[in-house]
Amino acid sequence: MIGLISATAAGAAARDRLVAAWPARTRVYDGPVGEAVRRAFAECEQLVCFLATGAVVRLVAPLLGDKTSDPGVVCVDEGGRFAVSLVGGHGGGANELAREVGELLGAEPVVTTATDAVGLPGLDTLGFPVEGDVAGVSRALLDGEAVALDAEVSWPLPPLPVAAEGRYAIRLTDRLVEPGEREVVLRPPSLVVGVGASRNAPVEEVLGLVRGALRDAGLSVKSLAELATVDAKADEPGIVEAAARLGVPLVTYSAGELATVEVPNPSDAPLAAVGTPSVAEAAALVRGGELLVPKRKSAAQPAMATCAVVRRPARGRLAVVGLGPGARDLLTPRARDELRRASVLVGLDQYVDQIRDLLRPGTRVLESGLGAEEERARTAVAEARRGHAVALIGSGDAGVYAMASPALAEASDDIDVVGVPGVTAALAAGAILGAPLGHDHVSISLSDLHTPWEVIERRVRAAAEADIVVTFYNPRSQGRDWQLPEALAILAGHREPTTPVGVVRNASRTDESSRLTTLAGLDPATVDMMTVVTVGNTATREIAGRMVTPRGYRWQEESE
């Protein structure tokens, strides 16, 4: 919950905008400001104070305890110009909150945490339990000193400027080890414990078994990702409470699913009780992995619980990111986040140049030229399969004449794939022209490099006969100068010569140009590969210099 405190009418107005945007996330604290801050500090995970930073410093100073547990505090000035991350930038999430508040209120986020200021991810913000010399290793990264990455477990990480060797080290491990001098230990959630239990097995017996199995195997409970069991035990109190105390989810599988898993120690007892010859081992292994601890019984007599431990392989992550038509303000916040999250970026060289300044230090960039689309898709998938966090970029929307289809054709279910939509060239051009896509519309690429012209021609003819607005991508190049005239001729057989046609080149970029002409008046020689051509249907009109395709009952009535 985010506590909101204000003292003036202007602050209350800004506060109410947050309440309207985040009704389930916020709580307003009224009354004397000092008391309101104290109550919010005790009851909320984060605070937004519409007060001077000096005042908030004095109010929260006596309340501060530990940076790992104190709430994050953001201050917004009286004029709503700045959202200042004051306390708990990393641990309390104030840095991210300042960015969210800034975006919502139109304020500039002010983040002074050293790593954030230079684009490095904080070691305590990676989503893993962290131990050791966080401050020292972070300082070494900031100072450009060599910091080694010792990844005992492969796991997707954001970009870090690490080296093969160094006086400082980041150790990624699920083993039960103590951090060395000048070392940070990160605990990835790589361990799954399968659990079976008799009816009414005590929670202490289940907990003791799980913790003992991990400890005896030299594994850290901080790397435990989940407990897993059979559906029939989904409500078993001892298992449910054990998962809650360990702070991990309880995942269940059907007996039929578990029965298909090959295990080293099947048994007739669980087969008779719940319909599968294995619960603990099968539940741990059902999603694959390395069995580190075979089935083990609790020490109680009689034993009422069993467990098994598996190290699950890291799943690489492939984000297929649409960059939009080119303007930086049409790059979505989600796309920005994925670019900064990726440790490996794959893309066309000219697109990489557009967003290179947004990448974090340490991002590995794999770029290539035109014509290497399938190679880029294969490269991106291969890097994800190696356990990396990968961003594969394309212009516009990555699923529209771009990299999503070749990448997904290459990928299988051994990696996580995330699609990040972008503003397409057709949409950007449509906004410039007016509202040409106001009714049914279709996009057709006139490039016959990968699609036979016979297929393209058939699609153009179908759109012409159906009276659908058509946006042509890849309309004309030096080596392909006849396709656009052919397509326009097909449309001309079904539409008047005066049908409006919009021509937009480099939509949203600094050298953008646009013009409105007609089907008869368009000269194909003025069009190139950077141009989008939108041809209206029989209802499309030019209204006040804008291209409009009407939709709705009022328009239909007027046209009758």
Side-chain angles (χ1 to χ4, degrees):
M1 187 62 65
I2 304 172
L4 305 179
I5 301 100
S6 61
T8 66
R15 175 204 67 195
D16 291 344
R17 290 173 62 188
L18 295 189
V19 172
W22 302 331
R25 295 178 61 190
T26 54
R27 180 186 302 160
V28 173
Y29 285 80
D30 291 320
V33 169
E35 177 58 28
V37 169
R38 284 190 291 274
R39 286 191 291 121
F41 198 92
E43 297 170 1
C44 297
E45 292 81 22
Q46 295 173 320
L47 281 69
V48 178
C49 300
F50 296 88
L51 306 165
T53 53
V56 178
V57 167
R58 293 184 178 89
L59 289 170
V60 302
L63 309 176
L64 297 176
D66 187 283
K67 71 175 185 177
T68 61
S69 57
D70 288 336
V73 180
V74 171
C75 289
V76 178
D77 65 289
E78 183 75 5
R81 296 172 300 166
F82 303 104
V84 182
S85 174
L86 187 68
V87 173
H90 285 167
N95 290 351
E96 183 56 33
L97 180 59
R99 296 186 182 98
E100 288 187 81
V101 170
E103 183 175 346
L104 189 61
L105 300 181
E108 181 72 23
V110 179
V111 176
T112 58
T113 312
T115 50
D116 292 86
V118 297
L120 286 173
L123 296 176
D124 52 352
T125 66
L126 301 181
F128 307 142
V130 59
E131 306 167 30
D133 188 10
V134 175
V137 174
S138 297
R139 189 163 50 248
L141 288 170
L142 290 167
D143 290 343
E145 292 196 42
V147 176
L149 175 62
D150 180 8
E152 297 179 9
V153 178
S154 176
W155 209 264
L157 289 174
L160 292 166
V162 293
E165 298 180 353
R167 292 176 58 240
Y168 293 83
I170 299 170
R171 190 174 185 181
L172 187 68
T173 183
D174 56 19
R175 294 194 302 114
L176 191 60
V177 296
E178 292 295 324
E181 186 180 3
R182 296 191 296 272
E183 182 180 63
V184 163
V185 172
L186 300 176
R187 307 284 189 191
S190 56
L191 304 177
V192 176
V193 175
V195 179
S198 302
R199 191 174 186 81
N200 296 321
V203 62
E204 296 300 341
E205 183 173 344
V206 177
L207 270 176
L209 174 64
V210 171
R211 287 173 172 157
L214 292 170
R215 181 185 61 250
D216 294 348
L219 300 170
S220 173
V221 71
K222 294 180 180 179
S223 280
L224 181 59
E226 63 189 42
L227 295 189
T229 190
V230 67
D231 283 347
K233 296 296 178 180
D235 298 323
E236 186 63 45
I239 297 178
V240 173
E241 179 62 21
R245 293 197 198 179
L246 291 166
V248 297
L250 175 63
V251 180
T252 64
Y253 303 97
S254 69
E257 192 171 7
L258 296 185
T260 65
V261 180
E262 292 188 13
V263 297
N265 299 293
S267 172
D268 292 335
L271 180 61
V274 294
T276 173
S278 172
V279 173
E281 288 180 339
L285 284 167
V286 67
R287 295 292 178 245
E290 176 187 4
L291 184 63
L292 302 179
V293 179
K295 184 174 72 173
R296 167 175 176 155
K297 294 183 179 180
S298 56
Q301 294 296 328
M304 298 185 72
T306 60
C307 82
V309 182
V310 162
R311 176 182 288 135
R312 208 172 265 179
R315 288 177 64 86
R317 187 175 191 276
L318 173 61
V320 188
V321 181
L323 300 180
R328 180 58 60 86
D329 60 352
L330 291 182
L331 177 69
T332 67
R334 188 180 301 179
R336 288 174 181 261
D337 290 344
E338 290 294 346
L339 294 175
R340 294 175 65 79
R341 176 174 181 166
S343 60
V344 180
L345 182 88
V346 182
L348 179 68
D349 46 15
Q350 65 190 55
Y351 297 153
V352 172
D353 289 341
Q354 288 180 21
I355 47 84
R356 198 183 297 271
D357 62 302
L358 297 178
L359 305 179
R360 289 188 186 274
T363 304
R364 184 156 54 94
V365 177
L366 305 176
E367 53 188 310
S368 53
L370 284 169
E373 287 75 19
E374 292 184 352
E375 178 188 345
R376 283 196 293 276
R378 286 192 294 268
T379 297
V381 171
E383 290 293 333
R385 286 187 174 136
R386 294 187 184 101
H388 298 302
V390 182
L392 174 62
I393 60 173
S395 66
D397 182 279
V400 179
Y401 304 123
M403 295 305 301
S405 56
L408 268 61
E410 185 73 23
S412 55
D413 62 358
D414 56 345
I415 61 173
D416 295 325
V417 179
V418 177
V420 182
V423 178
T424 67
L427 294 176
I432 294 165
L433 294 170
L437 310 182
H439 211 309
D440 297 337
H441 55 274
V442 63
S443 294
I444 298 177
S445 171
L446 293 183
S447 173
D448 56 358
L449 296 177
H450 303 289
T451 304
W453 174 251
E454 293 77 13
V455 174
I456 298 172
E457 183 180 22
R458 186 168 68 247
R459 292 170 179 171
V460 174
R461 196 172 302 280
E465 293 173 353
D467 196 26
I468 296 175
V469 174
V470 181
T471 297
F472 288 123
Y473 280 70
N474 306 312
R476 184 178 183 274
S477 67
Q478 289 183 347
R480 294 186 304 100
D481 59 0
W482 58 267
Q483 287 89 343
L484 180 59
E486 286 279 338
L488 294 174
I490 294 172
L491 292 175
H494 298 268
R495 300 178 194 181
E496 294 296 327
T498 56
T499 299
V501 175
V503 181
V504 181
R505 187 176 190 279
N506 283 334
S508 87
R509 303 187 184 187
T510 54
D511 55 347
E512 167 191 299
S513 63
S514 65
R515 68 185 187 278
L516 193 57
T517 182
T518 64
L519 191 54
L522 175 61
D523 180 2
T526 63
V527 173
D528 62 14
M529 287 290 286
M530 304 305 293
T531 306
V532 172
V533 177
T534 301
V535 181
N537 65 11
T538 56
T540 305
R541 300 287 183 268
E542 179 182 345
I543 302 174
R546 302 180 185 91
M547 186 176 177
V548 179
T549 302
R551 181 177 187 271
Y553 296 109
R554 184 174 65 84
W555 287 92
Q556 292 176 5
E557 291 169 357
E558 290 180 357
S559 64
E560 291 177 354

